[in-house]
Amino acid sequence: MVVDIEKLLSMKEFKDGDKDTLSQKLKAVENLIRSYTNNNFQNRTMRINAPVVNGIIQGHCPYFREGDTIQVSNSKVNNGLYGITAISETEIKVEGEIYDFPVNTITKVVYPPDVQKGVLDLMIWEKNNREKVGIKSETLSRHSVTYYDQDSSNQVMGYPVSLLGFLKPYVKPRF
């Protein structure tokens, strides 16, 4: 995951948050970032090829740790992101369902600190402002609400453009 769920829950904005809901939102934001930037944030020097047997990756990499995010690729059935839940000298257990397959390329996913900080900002914005999306100004006396247009110049994938500026250095061209 981009940000450790425990770190998010320790913040004052999310003290009373539901762990499962926050986890789902973090996964959604992670997919949004990967899609928007066309960047998979893989560290290709931390990679192994290993089979999956009985839902467990049969292999070891000294750079993988419990809680890390890995990407499985070059597999006909397991392509995707997985969080490591347990690791030993010969096996790697991941969250979610992973299917038996003889050839899988497993690569560690590493997000830079500024991307992690940006995700925290997005999550705080999501919690505090999501229900106010589209309101440009609001007056109480003689109640008046002004809305602004939501187009590509002021929002991207449901978030204000100003909040996604941290992704600009990581955007890769699409071919």
Side-chain angles (χ1 to χ4, degrees):
M1 226 176 273
V2 180
V3 177
D4 182 39
I5 191 74
E6 298 304 325
K7 181 177 183 179
L8 194 63
L9 287 170
S10 70
M11 296 175 64
K12 66 178 179 174
E13 292 88 358
F14 301 102
K15 282 274 190 223
D16 56 350
D18 177 37
K19 190 173 185 175
D20 291 335
T21 303
L22 288 175
S23 178
Q24 285 296 99
K25 286 183 182 180
L26 274 175
K27 287 178 184 176
V29 169
E30 182 175 18
N31 285 334
L32 176 141
I33 287 171
R34 291 168 63 90
S35 172
Y36 179 72
T37 61
N38 195 35
N39 188 338
N40 57 21
F41 296 95
Q42 290 182 346
N43 185 336
R44 292 185 176 100
T45 60
M46 299 178 184
R47 174 179 278 178
I48 62 170
N49 289 306
V52 174
V53 179
N54 296 326
I56 299 172
I57 299 169
Q58 303 297 311
H60 178 74
C61 179
Y63 307 113
F64 292 179
R65 304 279 182 267
E66 193 173 313
D68 285 349
T69 300
I70 56 172
Q71 181 169 354
V72 178
S73 54
N74 298 331
S75 171
K76 294 191 189 294
V77 294
N78 292 319
N79 293 332
L81 295 177
Y82 299 90
I84 297 176
T85 57
I87 193 164
S88 71
E89 289 295 320
T90 59
E91 297 179 337
I92 301 171
K93 294 181 182 177
V94 296
E95 65 184 22
E97 193 169 12
I98 190 165
Y99 301 99
D100 294 358
F101 197 74
V103 180
N104 302 278
T105 300
I106 295 113
T107 310
K108 185 172 180 176
V109 176
V110 180
Y111 295 98
D114 54 336
V115 171
Q116 293 176 3
K117 171 69 171 102
V119 168
L120 290 175
D121 292 344
L122 286 175
M123 293 298 289
I124 291 169
W125 182 89
E126 177 85 27
K127 180 165 178 24
N128 296 334
N129 300 319
R130 177 56 71 188
E131 67 276 355
K132 300 175 189 174
V133 169
I135 297 176
K136 187 173 185 179
S137 66
E138 191 170 8
T139 335
L140 289 176
S141 179
R142 301 278 189 208
H143 187 71
S144 171
V145 178
T146 307
Y147 296 92
Y148 64 88
D149 293 331
Q150 290 184 305
D151 55 17
S152 62
S153 66
N154 60 13
Q155 67 94 27
V156 174
M157 296 186 185
Y159 292 97
V161 171
S162 60
L163 282 179
L164 295 175
F166 70 93
L167 294 174
K168 197 156 196 84
Y170 302 104
V171 174
K172 290 186 176 182
R174 297 179 193 277
F175 294 105

